[in-house]
Amino acid sequence: MTMRVRRRVFMGVMLAPALLLVLVLGVYPMVETLRLSFYEYDLYRIAFAGTPFVGLDNFRTLFQDDAFLRTLANTLTFGLLVTTALIVVGLLIAHVLNSEIRGRVLLRTVSIMPWFVPGVVAAAVWVWILSPAQSPINQLLHAVGLIQEDVRFLADTSSVGTISSPLLSISAARIWNGLPLAVMILLAGLQSISKEVYEAAKIDGASPVRTLFSITIPMMMPTISVLTALVLIGTVGHFELVYLMTGGGPANLTNTLAVYSYQEAFTNGQFGLAGAASSFILVISAVIGVGYILADRRANR
């Protein structure tokens, strides 16, 4: 056996456990979910009705369900809102952390602290922050005289523009939860830009705003593109904060595809419909991933 063959065998043996985990925990559930979407799998009738093949009937049922259409719209709105906010806020924070200020090491440490908070704990904290009677936000608004009655952030069915108040509330929690990742990626991108470029711009008399839009953002576009794809995919399939904070309510205003799939499977026993709903997460994620790959290839030509 030659050295090259031995090296390949060794690499295969080392990669085998990781590949096995990916197949068992990633590929198999995905394939099984897609398979279930083509069957009528009613957990409460399976004993005498079986699991007949129904083709695309589950998808037709979903598109005839107003609750699902609202859920799909919620998911897309949630994803776009969170992603946009994380890019903008993350870039501002990363810019501050990249500047020559005192205590920036401490600030960098503080900026990643939300990452270490478990999802259950984060949801409980945010439910307390947004609860009508105990909310520190309400107490502050009362203190400055901006409100007379407590704001019901997670229960009010009113909207800000076209986005409901509860959806904005869970978006805020998700933004807080996702900031560490956004800040670290954007900070790494900022640090990869040579200081000489900024010095040349300063000598040419470029203002800070002109420097931002003519140098920083264009040179950060590859980093921003990667972060956008990661955050969009992660938010479209996000489950824990939404489920623990609102359970999809009130009146289906905060329901997302992941929570809807869970409800159909484990509350209603409709595993076929749940599989079909989950397939949309896969399709949306695939579209985002393929779009990013195509855009990256075009940019590198």
Side-chain angles (χ1 to χ4, degrees):
M1 184 181 294
T2 64
M3 183 62 69
R4 179 178 297 179
V5 174
R6 288 180 180 177
R7 186 180 294 114
R8 289 182 177 178
V9 171
F10 176 77
M11 292 172 61
V13 171
M14 292 296 101
L15 289 173
L19 291 175
L20 182 61
L21 282 176
V22 170
L23 288 173
V24 173
L25 301 179
V27 176
Y28 172 73
M30 180 179 64
V31 173
E32 182 65 12
T33 298
L34 289 172
R35 187 189 70 82
L36 284 176
S37 66
F38 297 105
Y39 288 83
E40 183 181 345
Y41 196 117
D42 187 336
L43 185 63
Y44 304 119
R45 299 177 63 247
I46 190 173
F48 56 88
T51 57
F53 179 81
V54 294
L56 298 176
D57 284 356
N58 286 326
F59 294 95
R60 295 192 188 98
T61 301
L62 289 179
F63 278 106
Q64 293 170 358
D65 182 6
D66 291 337
F68 173 77
L69 295 178
R70 181 57 188 260
T71 296
L72 185 59
N74 288 342
T75 303
L76 296 175
T77 303
F78 180 55
L80 293 174
L81 179 62
V82 170
T83 302
T84 303
L86 281 178
I87 297 297
V88 174
V89 177
L91 191 57
L92 291 174
I93 295 175
H95 181 70
V96 172
L97 296 179
N98 192 46
S99 60
E100 298 291 338
I101 59 173
R102 285 186 177 183
R104 62 176 180 173
V105 174
L106 177 61
L107 290 175
R108 289 176 182 179
T109 303
V110 172
S111 70
I112 66 171
M113 286 179 65
W115 206 343
F116 302 107
V117 180
V120 175
V121 177
V125 170
W126 275 95
V127 167
W128 169 74
I129 290 174
L130 299 173
S131 62
Q134 301 175 345
S135 171
I137 301 175
N138 276 334
Q139 293 175 11
L140 177 62
L141 293 176
H142 277 297
V144 298
L146 291 179
I147 60 173
Q148 300 298 322
E149 297 181 355
D150 291 331
V151 179
R152 300 163 66 232
F153 295 100
L154 296 176
D156 192 353
T157 56
S158 63
S159 61
V160 179
T162 59
I163 306 174
S164 67
S165 177
L167 189 61
L168 279 174
S169 299
I170 64 169
S171 296
R174 175 59 180 152
I175 291 165
W176 174 84
N177 180 251
L179 263 179
L181 175 65
V183 170
M184 283 199 301
I185 292 177
L186 292 170
L187 180 58
L190 286 174
Q191 290 179 335
S192 68
I193 302 175
S194 174
K195 292 183 179 180
E196 295 177 356
V197 177
Y198 289 114
E199 292 173 358
K202 188 175 182 180
I203 293 173
D204 290 339
S207 65
V209 175
R210 180 64 182 273
T211 301
L212 174 66
F213 287 99
S214 298
I215 296 177
T216 303
I217 292 180
M219 296 189 73
M220 285 285 291
M221 281 311 298
T223 303
I224 293 174
S225 298
V226 172
L227 181 60
T228 300
L230 290 175
V231 173
L232 267 177
I233 292 173
T235 304
V236 165
H238 190 72
F239 173 79
E240 58 183 359
L241 280 179
V242 179
Y243 180 76
L244 293 171
M245 289 180 66
T246 65
N252 206 44
L253 290 176
T254 62
N255 216 358
T256 58
L257 286 173
V259 176
Y260 182 93
S261 300
Y262 175 87
Q263 292 169 340
E264 287 295 331
F266 299 106
T267 302
N268 302 329
Q270 299 290 338
F271 281 82
L273 287 176
S278 296
S279 298
F280 283 91
I281 300 176
L282 175 61
V283 170
I284 294 172
S285 300
V287 169
I288 295 169
V290 171
Y292 165 73
I293 292 172
L294 293 177
D296 183 63
R297 287 182 177 178
R298 191 177 297 113
N300 291 327
R301 284 180 180 174

